Amino acid sequence: MIILFGVFIRYNEESDAHWIEHRKAKNISSDIENDFYFRYPSFQDVHVMIFVGFGFLMTFLKRYSFGAVGFNFLIAAFGLQWALLMQGWFHSLDYTDGKIKIGIENLINADFCVAGCLIAYGAVLGKVSPVQLLVLTLFGITLFAVEEYIILNLIHARDAGGSMVIHTFGGYYGLAISWMLYRPNLDQSSRLQGSVYHSDVFAMIGTLFLWMFWPSFNSAITDHGDGQHRAAINTYLALASTVLTTMAVSSLFQKHGKLDMVHIQNSTLAGGVAVGTAAEFMLMPYGSLIVGFCCGIVSTLGYIYLTPFMEKHLKIQDTCGIHNLHAMPGVIGGIVGAITAAAATESVYGPEGLINTFDFVGDFKDMVPTQQGGHQAAGICVAICFGVGGGIIVGCILRLPIWGDPADDNCFDDEPYWEVFN
Amino acid sequence: MIILFGVFIRYNEESDAHWIEHRKAKNISSDIENDFYFRYPSFQDVHVMIFVGFGFLMTFLKRYSFGAVGFNFLIAAFGLQWALLMQGWFHSLDYTDGKIKIGIENLINADFCVAGCLIAYGAVLGKVSPVQLLVLTLFGITLFAVEEYIILNLIHARDAGGSMVIHTFGGYYGLAISWMLYRPNLDQSSRLQGSVYHSDVFAMIGTLFLWMFWPSFNSAITDHGDGQHRAAINTYLALASTVLTTMAVSSLFQKHGKLDMVHIQNSTLAGGVAVGTAAEFMLMPYGSLIVGFCCGIVSTLGYIYLTPFMEKHLKIQDTCGIHNLHAMPGVIGGIVGAITAAAATESVYGPEGLINTFDFVGDFKDMVPTQQGGHQAAGICVAICFGVGGGIIVGCILRLPIWGDPADDNCFDDEPYWEVFN
Amino acid sequence: MIILFGVFIRYNEESDAHWIEHRKAKNISSDIENDFYFRYPSFQDVHVMIFVGFGFLMTFLKRYSFGAVGFNFLIAAFGLQWALLMQGWFHSLDYTDGKIKIGIENLINADFCVAGCLIAYGAVLGKVSPVQLLVLTLFGITLFAVEEYIILNLIHARDAGGSMVIHTFGGYYGLAISWMLYRPNLDQSSRLQGSVYHSDVFAMIGTLFLWMFWPSFNSAITDHGDGQHRAAINTYLALASTVLTTMAVSSLFQKHGKLDMVHIQNSTLAGGVAVGTAAEFMLMPYGSLIVGFCCGIVSTLGYIYLTPFMEKHLKIQDTCGIHNLHAMPGVIGGIVGAITAAAATESVYGPEGLINTFDFVGDFKDMVPTQQGGHQAAGICVAICFGVGGGIIVGCILRLPIWGDPADDNCFDDEPYWEVFN
């Protein structure tokens, strides 16, 4: 890794000490115009989501908190280095000297890339070894970079918050791996496959930090100015709406009208996933609420009916229910994005705003919104194909008996991999 | 809610795709001038205070952590949607087309509005049903919006951090409701009305995030430039000072000189409440320390003497002690604000600074600081009246036997509303 | 404290109400040029590191969580007030009127100053009384301010992230105090000197917030523009690299290849410490990875071999292992800084970039990079001397039998200082 970084990675012009000369040459009036000040606060929020959000969300199991937060830490720290290289080759390669030039936006993208693998981790939580996780991440990041390049650059779909690129891909990637690693005797660990009171409270730390900072996630790499502003507002509204629907559905479908912490911890986040693609478009505040409303229902019902069905009939054991939180809402998000893009008009966006928002420049300067809608739809298909296909291949590799995975009666237990004194 | 948003709510010009044309028309040199970059970091800090801060602060009870953090989540997510509408009608209505135009400042204000209701939740924590909480929030937000309009717009009081508008109102609103819902046999639940070791540590997460981000709370909607800068400094200093006084008083008034976690969790925050109104004024660093010093004493002594007294003699059962943390410091904050405003001089503020800070423009361009002091004092009275009056009315509504509130021996227990497996 | 603040401390021109006039006089085009907007997001991240990061990192002991997070809160709140005064006299004194003018950068520096004392607290955690901690902090802050003035102003060493000024000083200060307060019979408390499952999860909250926000720590007071940008990137990379090495070494050197939470909680942070000085230099991305790689090894091996050795043979009882997390990586960071500075060339930095980065202006305008390297090395020595010397003196004072320290069989227990009900 050090050698690869040594050969390929350099600072970009905004993080290089030549910035002061570059600034004067380009007649930029102030240091505050450095991209750092546009994106650093959002970057830090995304960073918190990756490490605290995903990490603590998975601590709900009674004896797998070390593994949840510790392996999440390991995967993320490994993945972001590999992602800087892989994404760099596709997106930030400077052809004049063959170097990848990195700045704050690359760090955000590396965190995004890692998110795809952490989603996949959610499906196999407690059933794999750390070495398997590193393999899952190595291939996951690589597939992600290729898929992202195809969707964003070749197809020219827009996907600010990664509904397709991150959540759909990550969700199906994890589910396919989990299907390949199906354990028929997993009920031998059923004593450990539940929560205790305080582990559920720890998981709420993860939920809340994901929920609160999701507006930063969806706005982190959108256009400066109105793009970031609008993406944050749309995400904020969609998430607020999802919380209400989730609580209502959870209470309605449980006996005695009681709420279930699993739904509160997970389904409340589905709105943020589903508004990812369309967040930067003129979705309108009520549009965001509708998206959030629908996703709260779909996601909660998924936990109640679909997850048990998938485990019983499809042989997919999905520990964290990522199908309900990431895969389905991700696809919904892709569809919402396609519709919103296809429906875009100059009267709503303004002539310059339209070009600016959809990036109709260069090779794509003759595109119109309806075309863009089609490209968005194509993006969804690519994401699903890469997720399922990649997952099956990587799942095959992970079935090799060389990775030290835990026995069926040792799943969901920190004991095999951690020094636990009590 | 979706229909109301569909009819009324639109993006404002800084979050609309027309921004790029608007920017050029107004000759704004850079995207960084978008209000998003002035306020988004503060917004996210406020957001954390609302969801993690208030939520975890209330997890101290041994078996009500799900309710604390979960219902806090529910109220806040519901309240902020309603607040966008209510505050929008009063503050952001565009009379040319009858639409509410929202941007980042509206999101911050919605979070502020929600804070008032969460404070009230603190007084009735563990004694009401989620449906009662939604009713409390619905009316609370509505009252808040009216009260805020009267205090800020009609009376023209300044209240950056909401000592009056948020804390005084929210505090007395909750206390009045708690008084109306007095339970003489609450001691049947006394086995649950305490903390366990780890629930106190969870509560410290809430305390610390509130404490750390309070400078953002008080500076979030103040004037660009020096206003935000000064509000952050004043709040930082007041809070630091309160911590020391709280620790000292807690140790002095307990037997054996031991510290009490209840005081550390709550009273350490009183300085932030009390400096809310005056934070944007030229309070001077030593003034902030004095405010923090006094509030630490008042608040801690309130927990030791006043809360038991109120429960025994005034029939007010205040679960979290919001009288000591919000109501009293809020009133102190209002008074400090009135005095600081009345004492303002051109030599301290500069001629333009004075106009800028107190917004002596338009209808109010002939006002002088002493007058402003009077208006500030009037603001305190309005806040108290709305809090007490509104609380009594809403308390009456909540006494109707249709809301499914828990029995006296079921209070402070997650069992009635949550699936708890162990 | 109030009196001292009253006499000495005032707002600086960016936080004073005269800002609006100052801005026009200086022809500053926009409020966004106020230093507040350059530094406030980083300040809040640093603030979280101090109060949540350090506080929760120390909650790993089974019955000392109140003391860890509560006394951390006390020390920090006290220390930052004292630091504003002490650092103000050395750095921000306005000689025209004898006042200290404070702004956001002073708040960050005060938090930095406090960090030095919190590091020292880690060495004596559980073995001292709150009064002893206040004394430790009072002298620690004072020594820090003098040491910082010598290193940064007199020697003209650069130390953006404080590898020398904060970590080396704080580490050796704490170790020297711990040596002076050696308790031969500490094994009487050995039943309490360990973790329970959930206390280790709480500690991970501290670890992760420190880890995530370290890029803000190292970039908070660097130069506007490329300086902050580059410092964040370097720190991010060094930390990612440390996580991998720590996990690998922890697994390799434990029996059965199990991971130890102590290493994950602490050693993963060593890279951030070690890149502190050089973060703002052109260290290059691969350089950051190398630094993180080495520190992960050194720090983890330190926990496995050095800490037991120091306790047994050198009579230094280091509760949190600050020698491995702060002292050693701090020295490494100083050395890396010296080498990087000495190796700086105009071709890498650009002519203006070189002057800008190393601040070769005023009295130091004739300095060259190799000289700067020597000055950096001198800075390390000063930091170690102040740490060890100051620690021995303060340790002598703390040995006086008047401070109410806990008995040998009462260490690591909240009971003596807190109301604990269960």
Side-chain angles (χ1 to χ4, degrees), chain B residues 248-269:
Chain B
V249 174
S250 178
S251 172
L252 279 173
F253 284 78
Q254 301 288 99
K255 56 188 176 208
H256 310 305
K258 290 189 182 184
L259 294 163
D260 190 330
M261 278 306 265
V262 172
H263 308 155
I264 312 305
Q265 283 159 9
N266 293 283
S267 298
T268 48
L269 302 167

Side-chain angles (χ1 to χ4, degrees), chain B residues 263-321:
Chain B
H263 308 155
I264 312 305
Q265 283 159 9
N266 293 283
S267 298
T268 48
L269 302 167
V273 174
V275 86
T277 302
E280 60 177 337
F281 303 156
M282 293 289 283
L283 182 59
M284 292 294 148
Y286 67 89
S288 307
L289 290 186
I290 294 171
V291 172
F293 177 82
C294 298
C295 277
I297 297 173
V298 168
S299 178
T300 314
L301 292 180
Y303 275 96
I304 298 173
Y305 298 115
L306 211 53
T307 302
F309 175 85
M310 281 168 58
E311 176 149 1
K312 205 163 166 195
H313 299 289
L314 304 183
K315 304 198 172 183
I316 299 176
Q317 290 156 331
D318 181 2
T319 313
C320 295

Side-chain angles (χ1 to χ4, degrees), chain B residues 210-255:
Chain B
L210 286 170
W211 194 90
M212 294 180 302
F213 289 161
W214 217 292
S216 301
F217 192 92
N218 286 348
S219 69
I221 55 162
T222 51
D223 292 333
H224 290 177
D226 65 301
Q228 290 194 283
H229 203 148
R230 191 165 55 249
I233 294 173
N234 285 333
T235 312
Y236 173 91
L237 290 172
L239 285 163
S241 160
T242 312
V243 175
L244 296 189
T245 344
T246 300
M247 296 254 184
V249 174
S250 178
S251 172
L252 279 173
F253 284 78
Q254 301 288 99
K255 56 188 176 208

Side-chain angles (χ1 to χ4, degrees), chain C residues 338-351:
Chain C
I339 295 169
T340 321
T345 60
E346 262 197 22
S347 69
V348 172
Y349 287 76

Side-chain angles (χ1 to χ4, degrees), chain C residues 12 21 82 121 166 181 209 232 248 305 368 393:
Chain C
N12 75 6
E21 288 141 28
W82 187 236
Y121 179 33
I166 300 169
L181 300 179
F209 275 103
Y305 298 114
V368 294
I393 295 166

Side-chain angles (χ1 to χ4, degrees), chain A residues 160-161 214-220 222-223 225-237 275-276 278-281 288, chain B residues 11 15 36 40:
Chain A
W214 216 293
S216 302
F217 191 92
N218 286 348
S219 69
T222 52
D223 291 335
D226 65 300
Q228 290 194 282
H229 203 148
R230 192 164 56 250
I233 294 173
N234 285 332
T235 312
Y236 173 90
L237 290 171
V275 86
E280 62 177 337
F281 303 156
S288 307
Chain B
Y11 304 114
S15 57
F36 183 79
Y40 189 71

Side-chain angles (χ1 to χ4, degrees), chain B residues 35-289:
Chain B
D35 199 35
F36 183 79
Y37 301 101
F38 285 94
R39 305 210 186 274
Y40 189 71
S42 304
F43 160 68
Q44 274 297 3
D45 293 348
V46 171
H47 217 40
V48 172
M49 292 174 71
I50 299 296
F51 289 89
V52 164
F54 279 103
F56 274 86
L57 184 61
M58 298 191 284
T59 56
F60 69 98
L61 290 168
K62 64 181 82 162
R63 293 300 285 183
Y64 206 71
S65 299
F66 292 2
V69 79
F71 294 150
N72 182 79
F73 198 12
L74 171 66
I75 300 175
F78 167 67
L80 62 86
Q81 297 176 47
W82 187 237
L84 279 176
L85 282 167
M86 295 304 300
Q87 293 187 313
W89 280 317
F90 284 113
H91 294 289
S92 308
L93 200 60
D94 181 337
Y95 293 102
T96 58
D97 60 359
K99 307 289 187 196
I100 298 163
K101 303 290 172 64
I102 61 169
I104 187 73
E105 198 169 338
N106 298 67
L107 306 194
I108 297 172
N109 274 316
D111 272 21
F112 277 5
C113 195
V114 163
C117 294
L118 297 180
I119 291 166
Y121 178 33
V124 298
L125 181 75
K127 297 175 297 186
V128 292
S129 72
V131 181
Q132 283 179 307
L133 286 174
L134 289 176
V135 175
L136 178 154
T137 307
L138 184 76
F139 287 104
I141 299 285
T142 315
L143 287 163
F144 185 101
V146 177
E147 169 237 26
E148 188 192 29
Y149 180 70
I150 294 174
I151 294 178
L152 301 189
N153 296 46
L154 301 187
I155 297 184
H156 192 261
R158 304 281 297 172
D159 198 8
S163 294
M164 302 180 285
V165 170
I166 300 168
H167 297 285
T168 305
F169 165 75
Y172 286 107
Y173 181 63
L175 291 168
I177 291 175
S178 189
W179 181 62
M180 293 301 293
L181 300 179
Y182 179 67
R183 287 168 180 263
N185 302 316
L186 193 61
D187 53 357
Q188 291 175 9
S189 290
S190 62
R191 74 192 182 288
L192 293 166
Q193 201 179 4
S195 62
V196 291
Y197 195 70
H198 280 167
S199 72
D200 266 332
V201 182
F202 278 120
M204 281 305 291
I205 297 175
T207 301
L208 287 175
F209 276 103
L210 286 170
W211 194 90
M212 294 180 302
F213 289 161
W214 217 292
S216 301
F217 192 92
N218 286 348
S219 69
I221 55 162
T222 51
D223 292 333
H224 290 177
D226 65 301
Q228 290 194 283
H229 203 148
R230 191 165 55 249
I233 294 173
N234 285 333
T235 312
Y236 173 91
L237 290 172
L239 285 163
S241 160
T242 312
V243 175
L244 296 189
T245 344
T246 300
M247 296 254 184
V249 174
S250 178
S251 172
L252 279 173
F253 284 78
Q254 301 288 99
K255 56 188 176 208
H256 310 305
K258 290 189 182 184
L259 294 163
D260 190 330
M261 278 306 265
V262 172
H263 308 155
I264 312 305
Q265 283 159 9
N266 293 283
S267 298
T268 48
L269 302 167
V273 174
V275 86
T277 302
E280 60 177 337
F281 303 156
M282 293 289 283
L283 182 59
M284 292 294 148
Y286 67 89
S288 307
L289 290 186

